[in-house]
Structures are given as structure tokens and as C-alpha cells.
Amino acid sequence: MDALNVKSLTVVIGGRVLLEEVSFSVKPGEFWAIVGPNGAGKTTLLRVIMGFIKPTKGEITIFGKKPKDAISEGIIGYLPQNAVFNISIKVLDIFRLLKADDKNISRVSLLMGIEDKLERSFSSLSGGEKQRVLIALLLLKKPKLLLLDEPNTGIDVVGQDNFYNTLKGLKEECTILMVTHDVGVVSSFVDKIACLNRKLKYSGDPRGALDCKLLEELYGEKVNLFVHHPECEGCHIYRNFS
Amino acid sequence: MSYIPEFLVIPLLVAFISAISLSIVSVFVVLNRWGFLAVGVSHGAFFGVTCGVLLNFSPFLLGVLSGFLLVLSVSIMKRELKGEEDVIIGFLFPLFMALGIIVFSIGKIGYIDAFSYLFGSIFLIDESFLLWSIVVFLITILFVAVKWREIFLWVMNEEMATSLGVNSSLIYLSLLLVTTMNTVLAMKTLGAILVSAFAVMPGLFAVMVSRSIYGLFLSSIIYAFITFSVGILVAFYLDLPTGPVITVAGFLVLLLFSLGIKFKDRRM
Ligand SMILES: Nc1ncnc2c1ncn2[C@@H]1O[C@H](COP(=O)(O)OP(=O)(O)OP(=O)(O)O)[C@@H](O)[C@H]1O
Ligand SMILES: [Mg+2]
């Protein structure tokens, strides 16, 4: 069974077509990136999957269930865009809001690499650390599908690799759909990529697919992109794609 | 308690119960940035209160009703008109206030009465209010005791909370209603104009001094208790109106603490 199945999804709000005939399917355990320009409908897509927006046409199933049922069963974890907020309580206290036991808390802290942040006040953390804490919070519920809307904003260049590797390590835990603007780097970490600009321009293997033609079609103009060299680990060689 | 004059026992009880109850809610008002919404609620409630006085039917209940009507209208208009909350509250609360003043003048309610509803006077508190204050206090305690985990998750991020199993619309509406009830209750002591200050000051103090959830509530309650005690005592001895004196006392305590925190940081 597919972790997520999106079939001919069309969303029209106030006469504007935000998504048009979008179809793709995600297998359990896959790590997907969704890329596309501002206003492409990436956030809209995640919000339709969450059931916050009703599709005008088309159908969405999550492990064979309707969004509403999937949410009430707690199998989706959703990190909205710009979810970071300020609250001056301890990270551990935030985790305890979900009545999580210590074993579960140390499990997710280890996964997200925040073992040493549990006693810190949430508002004193950096933007990137906050994102990690929020993802850990979602993982406490053991979701089968994780929807992350630009979780890498506020994470530095070196931290990016580390962060993507962390997410890659979650594959045993759950299926991940991540929206990002970081087209170049992300393609060497994810299994699949979806290029969205109202319509789905491409979905599938990221390697080799992101050529100039596709990027120009996606962003509407010529893009000169540096893509992370997947084979080079230590020296961070960046290869000009064009 | 022999040194408290008998006619003041009930008003003081009501004042303290309502202050402590409001200070609990105040934590969420501050975390939610509902400061201006509290302004809206109290002014919205003013309309209901004046109707109650005119019709001789529970000003408290009608106050809660019209206050809640205002926040619901804000919430609906925000969604339908895609407007910003402060803009909508900005024109709705004067509207409700205007309606209240019109009712006042139709009912020929004297200016002394108007003044006491606007700025509060504990001498106008009677026994019926003791019952209401206990009811509101119990509802507040019960709501927070049962739902605090979900409320905090909801406060952090509504949509994320939904995916964590929180019934967001239920929490939102309940919190709005509890906030409204507490604001209208404390209006009796502080008045329509000043009560909104007290809806945020205890929570602000709590956020300044504490880092645990338990600490947030405790410090908010202690702050409310101290400022009410000081405010009422000073008002009583200097023969000044209670609402304004409590508001000024509350501000001074906040000021002293923030200066203290600044000073401590400097020395580090
Ligand atoms: N509730 C809504 N009602 C009407 N239009 C909307 C609504 N939500 C989003 N839009 C519009 O839909 C389009 C897509 O928005 P969306 O937030 O999905 O883009 P995005 O791909 O996430 O962009 P970004 O990279 O900037 O986050 C935008 O033009 C936006 O103005
Ligand atoms: Mg977006």
C-alpha cells in the first residue's frame, strides 16, 4: 500500500487555480523533497494532505485512509512553515505535554541529536535547534508520515548536511515529505523529488533529472545552480550543473 | 478578620477570587498575544452589562454574552474578510462601546454609575456576584486542570497541534469563552477600560520570571494577589478608586522587576 497517494488533485480558491491535476504516489519509507518557486502551491499541497483545505477535485489517501481519518489516528506529523515560536519553557516540559515516557523522549532526542538540549529553555535555542526540537516532538507520536514545510530555514551550510542526514536516518521510522528551496543540496539526500509549480513538472529520481530545461520550466527563467556532489564527502566540492 | 469592615467582606472576596482566576487565564492571553483581544472583550462586554442594567437582568451573563459575541465576530470576520485581527478589533470594540453608551443614555443611567462600570468600583459588588465569581473560578480551574497539555500545544502552533491529536477548534472556543468570562468578572473591580491591563500583566510577569509550566501559573497568581492587596489597601486609605490604583500598582511591580532583571544581567 502507498504511504501517500495523490490522484488528479486540483485546488481552486477564490477563482485562482493553486494546484492543477497533481498526481504522484509515495512508497512507505521513502524520503521525498518537494521543490518549486514561491507561490508554487507547496504549502497548499501539504495543507490539503492535512485536510485543512478541501480539494476541488481529486483524491488523497494516506496509507489507504482519508486525510481526516489518518489525522484522528495520529499517523501524520505536520511541521508547518515558520512554525517556530517563542515560549520560555524547558524542552523536556514541551515533550512531557504529550505524556511521553522517558524512553520515548530519549529515543527521539537521540534521533534528532538534541540530547543536550532537554534542560534548555525553548526560547533560548537557535532557529535550527528549535526546528529539531519540533520534529522530535512530532516523532514522539510515532507518525507513519512526516510532512515538513521548509524545516531547513535557519540552518547553516554545514548544519544542512547534518540535518538532511538526520532526516535520512528517520527512514526506518517513517515516510517523509519535505518542502525545501534548497534544490541543489537536497537532491543528493532524498530518494525522490517532486518539482511543483501549480502543476507537477516532474516527480521521481532526483539524480540526473534536474537539468537546465526542467529547472527553467519550473522556475520560469534560466537557473544557474550549484549541485552538491553526492560522492564527495569530506571536501564539499560543488559542481556547476550547467 | 475582625479588622475588615463587614460591608467589605464580600466585595473583597469577589475581587480576590476574580483576580486569581483571571491571572490563570492571563498566562494564555500573553502566550497567545491576545492582549488587544482582551481590550475587545471588555469593551464588547460593556454593551451587554449596560443592557443588563437597563433590563434588570443579570449584567454579568449579558456581559459575557456580548463579549463572546465580539470575539466570535472577530474570529469569523478574520476568516471571511482575510483581515488582520487588530484591525477588526480596532473597529468592532468602539462599535460595541458606542452601543453601550447609547443604551446608557436611553436608560438614563446616571454618570456616576457609568463611571463605576468604566473604571470599576468594588463597592458596587453584591452577593449575587460572589456566586458568579465562584462559578467562573471553578470552571477556569477545571478547564485548565483537565486541558492544560492540549492548551499549551495549541498555543505553540495550532496546525501542528492538530496533527498531534489536539482538537484545535474546541480548545480555541473554550479558551475564548473562559477568557471572556474572567474578563467580565474582573470588570466589576477594575472596570471595562482597565480590566484589559490586568488580563495581560500577570501573564507578562509570569513569562518574565519563570521557566516551567507550573511556575508560570504560580508566579501569575502571586503577582495578582500582591498587586490586588497593595492596590486595594492604598485605594482604601487614600480614598481613591480601586481600579486605577490596582492598575498603577501592577505596572509598578512589573517595572521594578524588569529593572531588577536588567540590573542582574548587567552584573554578570
Ligand atoms: N487560503 C488561501 N486562499 C487563497 N489563496 C491562497 C491561500 N493559501 C495560499 N494561497 C495562494 O496560493 C498560492 C500558493 O501558495 P503556497 O503557500 O502554497 O505557496 P508555496 O509554494 O508554499 O510558496 P513559498 O515557497 O513562498 O512558501 C499563492 O499564490 C498564495 O497566495
Ligand atoms: Mg510555503
Side-chain angles (χ1 to χ4, degrees):
Chain A
M1 195 193 330
D2 289 337
L4 170 70
N5 194 297
V6 177
K7 213 160 46 190
S8 328
L9 177 69
T10 300
V11 174
V12 183
I13 297 181
R16 283 183 58 207
V17 184
L18 306 187
L19 291 171
E20 192 178 342
E21 291 290 328
V22 172
S23 302
F24 64 99
S25 63
V26 177
K27 299 262 173 296
E30 283 180 342
F31 180 11
W32 277 65
I34 302 175
V35 300
N38 292 130
K42 306 180 295 293
T43 299
T44 305
L45 176 64
L46 295 195
R47 299 189 75 236
V48 180
I49 298 173
M50 278 298 290
F52 297 143
I53 299 175
K54 291 260 163 313
T56 311
K57 188 179 148 269
E59 209 182 313
I60 288 178
T61 52
I62 298 127
F63 289 96
K65 300 181 179 80
K66 289 201 186 86
K68 223 178 138 201
D69 299 330
I71 286 167
S72 60
E73 283 177 35
I75 59 176
I76 315 182
Y78 175 49
L79 179 71
Q81 190 169 2
N82 305 323
V84 162
F85 43 82
N86 265 333
I87 193 166
S88 58
I89 55 182
K90 274 195 310 189
V91 171
L92 192 60
D93 285 344
I94 292 183
F95 288 167
R96 293 243 163 88
L97 289 174
L98 287 177
K99 295 189 183 158
D101 55 44
D102 290 346
K103 220 176 109 201
N104 200 1
I105 291 177
S106 55
R107 178 186 69 97
V108 298
S109 322
L110 201 68
L111 279 171
M112 293 311 298
I114 49 161
E115 307 96 303
D116 55 340
K117 304 285 184 294
L118 294 179
E119 291 295 322
R120 292 270 300 274
S121 150
F122 184 77
S123 56
S124 77
L125 299 176
S126 78
E129 291 164 345
K130 283 178 184 163
Q131 298 279 14
R132 283 173 179 265
V133 168
L134 294 185
I135 296 174
L137 180 70
L138 296 174
L139 289 175
L140 282 174
K141 279 261 176 182
K142 304 195 172 134
K144 289 205 225 164
L145 175 66
L146 207 51
L147 306 175
L148 308 174
D149 202 341
E150 298 189 25
N152 54 326
T153 43
I155 297 183
D156 64 63
V157 197
V158 180
Q160 297 272 19
D161 277 23
N162 193 322
F163 183 70
Y164 290 137
N165 274 321
T166 305
L167 290 183
K168 213 171 153 181
L170 297 178
K171 277 174 62 172
E172 316 274 292
E173 295 262 324
C174 51
T175 313
I176 303 178
L177 221 67
M178 173 181 71
V179 170
T180 177
H181 284 297
D182 186 14
V183 189
V185 180
V186 81
S187 55
S188 59
F189 291 93
V190 295
D191 303 312
K192 296 279 170 62
I193 196 161
C195 302
L196 189 72
N197 191 356
R198 196 167 52 103
K199 293 180 188 174
L200 193 62
K201 304 288 183 184
Y202 175 82
S203 73
D205 199 310
R207 276 153 279 260
L210 287 172
D211 58 16
C212 303
K213 212 173 129 261
L214 176 61
L215 288 172
E216 189 175 343
E217 203 192 330
L218 184 61
Y219 288 94
E221 55 186 279
K222 268 209 167 334
V223 184
N224 216 0
L225 197 66
F226 294 93
V227 174
H228 200 298
H229 194 299
E231 276 81 44
C232 177
E233 282 181 3
C235 58
H236 293 276
I237 294 173
Y238 289 82
R239 182 179 58 180
N240 190 337
F241 221 94
S242 53
Chain B
M1 303 251 279
S2 57
Y3 46 88
I4 298 178
E6 203 171 322
F7 73 98
L8 269 181
V9 172
I10 287 176
L12 282 178
L13 265 177
V14 172
F16 277 97
I17 293 175
S18 63
I20 287 170
S21 193
L22 180 60
S23 68
I24 294 173
V25 179
S26 174
V27 171
F28 298 121
V29 171
V30 168
L31 290 177
N32 268 333
R33 299 164 192 216
W34 274 2
F36 197 44
L37 194 75
V39 174
V41 170
S42 54
H43 290 74
F46 181 71
F47 171 49
V49 168
T50 55
C51 289
V53 173
L54 184 67
L55 304 171
N56 211 356
F57 175 81
S58 175
F60 173 77
L61 276 184
L62 290 181
V64 171
L65 202 70
S66 75
F68 197 56
L69 187 72
L70 182 132
V71 288
L72 280 187
S73 324
V74 170
S75 153
I76 292 168
M77 287 169 97
K78 204 168 101 181
R79 204 180 54 217
E80 297 303 320
L81 303 179
K82 306 244 180 311
E84 290 296 331
E85 189 166 294
D86 58 345
V87 176
I88 297 168
I89 297 172
F91 71 81
L92 271 186
F93 95 73
L95 174 71
F96 275 64
M97 197 74 191
L99 291 172
I101 300 288
I102 290 172
V103 172
F104 247 125
S105 81
I106 291 175
K108 301 215 171 9
I109 302 167
Y111 275 100
I112 302 290
D113 279 338
F115 198 77
S116 75
Y117 275 106
L118 288 175
F119 298 102
S121 163
I122 64 172
F123 301 110
L124 287 181
I125 293 174
D126 56 30
E127 272 149 57
S128 71
F129 252 83
L130 184 59
L131 186 70
W132 280 125
S133 62
I134 292 171
V135 169
V136 170
F137 183 59
L138 289 179
I139 291 176
T140 306
I141 293 280
L142 201 71
F143 173 58
V144 175
V146 174
K147 290 284 179 192
W148 65 274
R149 295 167 190 276
E150 291 176 54
I151 304 173
F152 269 100
L153 288 169
W154 179 82
V155 164
M156 291 184 330
N157 185 296
E158 185 172 350
E159 293 190 340
M160 189 179 72
T162 304
S163 88
L164 291 168
V166 175
N167 185 339
S168 290
S169 25
L170 182 73
I171 295 290
Y172 174 58
L173 288 176
S174 322
L175 195 59
L176 274 184
L177 186 59
V178 169
T179 306
T180 306
M181 289 193 304
N182 276 287
T183 309
V184 178
L185 187 68
M187 237 172 97
K188 208 52 185 175
T189 332
L190 295 167
I193 293 178
L194 299 177
V195 72
S196 49
F198 217 78
V200 291
M201 288 196 299
L204 198 60
F205 175 79
V207 169
M208 257 162 57
V209 300
S210 72
R211 279 181 55 195
S212 73
I213 289 173
Y214 178 70
L216 281 175
F217 292 118
L218 193 68
S219 48
S220 191
I221 291 172
I222 290 174
Y223 170 91
F225 189 81
I226 291 175
T227 50
F228 255 65
S229 306
V230 172
I232 289 177
L233 272 177
V234 171
F236 192 69
Y237 282 110
L238 299 184
D239 196 21
L240 293 169
T242 41
V245 177
I246 291 173
T247 308
V248 174
F251 171 72
L252 289 178
V253 173
L254 271 182
L255 188 72
L256 276 178
F257 258 87
S258 41
L259 286 178
I261 289 173
K262 262 238 148 69
F263 189 65
K264 214 178 99 204
D265 282 352
R266 277 257 179 89
R267 290 214 310 199
M268 296 230 287

